[in-house]
Amino acid sequence: MNRGKKYKANLGKIDRTKVYSLLDAIKLAKETSYTKFDGTIEVSTKVNYKSLQNVRGTVSLPHGTGKDIRVLVFCKGAKQQEAKDAGADFVGEMDMIEKVQGGWTDFDACIATPDMMKEVGKLGPILGRKGLMPKPKAGTVTVDVAKAVKEVKSGRLEYRPDKGGVVHLGIGKVSFTDEQILDNVNSVVAGLMKDKPSDAKGEYLKGLAVSATMGHGVKVDVKELVNALN
């Protein structure tokens, strides 16, 4: 594959054999981003656990993602106004269910009250495929829709590993300060370790890398991050 001059020049700034401190990795990830727009900063880490289907949860980012999260709430009656007042972008019950059934998925997160789940469950083939199905464990099936909307809007992310056991999350923008990205990465690591299964053995997180949307992965000493939590 032919690579551009900018790609090759940026790649030369990173020692691929080296494991960097988190702050140095963040600086390099931002420096080697070669988009003209404000790219996303991503973190990737491999989970060392036998039953990957059981590894999932949520993490909260203190500085958000830098992205405007469009939230859909399925609820009835007075809960609809609560959701709107909290900042939900789309609110409804059967009208919204029918809209999604028709193929509409122009939103980033979905919340539902428990009394709506019988109908929302029928949207499984659509919402499940996109990772948008509301779940009690993720706090997106709840009677407190206002709290859930505010948390999702402020930077609460759901995570689950891919088939290779790697968790990928967008945790900020290149325009964020180094300290904001550092805080967000530390929050991700803390959240993953908090959710660590009790029977997980050895190193739970095997390596971690920080990168920009169109940039190069920079390896981070994940042991140092985990040890700092203790």
Side-chain angles (χ1 to χ4, degrees):
M1 182 183 295
N2 292 324
R3 298 288 192 177
K5 292 181 179 179
K6 188 175 290 187
Y7 177 94
K8 293 177 181 177
N10 284 339
L11 183 59
K13 297 176 182 179
I14 301 170
D15 184 346
R16 309 289 284 183
T17 66
K18 182 177 178 179
V19 176
Y20 293 84
S21 69
L22 178 55
L23 186 57
D24 286 343
I26 290 169
K27 291 179 183 294
L28 274 171
K30 292 171 67 175
E31 183 183 343
T32 56
S33 172
Y34 54 94
T35 57
K36 293 183 180 179
F37 56 88
D38 188 12
T40 296
I41 295 294
E42 302 174 351
V43 62
S44 301
T45 184
K46 186 169 184 177
V47 174
N48 178 31
Y49 187 60
K50 56 188 178 181
S51 302
L52 292 175
Q53 69 273 16
N54 295 327
V55 177
R56 57 190 60 205
T58 62
V59 294
S60 295
L61 305 180
H63 303 291
T65 63
K67 178 182 178 182
D68 182 23
I69 306 298
R70 298 162 300 175
V71 179
L72 165 63
V73 181
F74 294 108
C75 58
K76 302 176 182 179
K79 290 295 178 182
Q80 292 192 359
Q81 191 59 50
E82 287 181 30
K84 292 175 183 177
D85 291 344
D89 301 271
F90 312 103
V91 180
E93 46 180 305
M94 292 309 299
D95 55 335
M96 282 296 172
I97 286 176
E98 290 171 5
K99 191 172 182 179
V100 174
Q101 285 175 329
W104 176 73
T105 55
D106 193 21
F107 48 93
D108 305 296
C110 185
I111 295 165
T113 50
D115 61 348
M116 287 296 300
M117 284 308 295
K118 181 178 179 180
E119 296 299 328
V120 173
K122 297 175 183 177
L123 302 176
I126 299 171
L127 298 181
R129 185 171 63 249
K130 292 181 173 291
L132 294 169
M133 178 60 75
K135 296 180 285 291
K137 185 177 179 181
T140 47
V141 176
T142 176
V143 294
D144 195 345
V145 292
K147 178 182 177 182
V149 169
K150 290 175 182 177
E151 287 182 346
V152 171
K153 285 276 190 179
S154 65
R156 189 182 70 187
L157 300 176
E158 284 189 59
Y159 73 83
R160 59 179 178 181
D162 61 20
K163 293 180 180 179
V166 180
V167 173
H168 303 274
L169 290 171
I171 49 86
K173 293 290 185 179
V174 172
S175 59
F176 278 25
T177 66
D178 296 346
E179 290 71 24
Q180 286 177 318
I181 297 173
L182 187 146
D183 286 346
N184 280 357
V185 175
N186 278 326
S187 293
V188 168
V189 173
L192 290 171
M193 293 305 296
K194 178 176 177 291
D195 294 338
K196 175 183 176 181
S198 58
D199 61 341
K201 299 178 181 178
E203 294 178 52
Y204 182 57
L205 302 183
K206 304 283 285 187
L208 185 143
V210 177
S211 64
T213 306
M214 292 180 67
H216 307 284
V218 186
K219 296 177 182 178
V220 176
D221 187 349
V222 70
K223 290 182 183 179
E224 183 178 304
L225 302 184
V226 172
N227 290 337
L229 298 173
N230 301 324

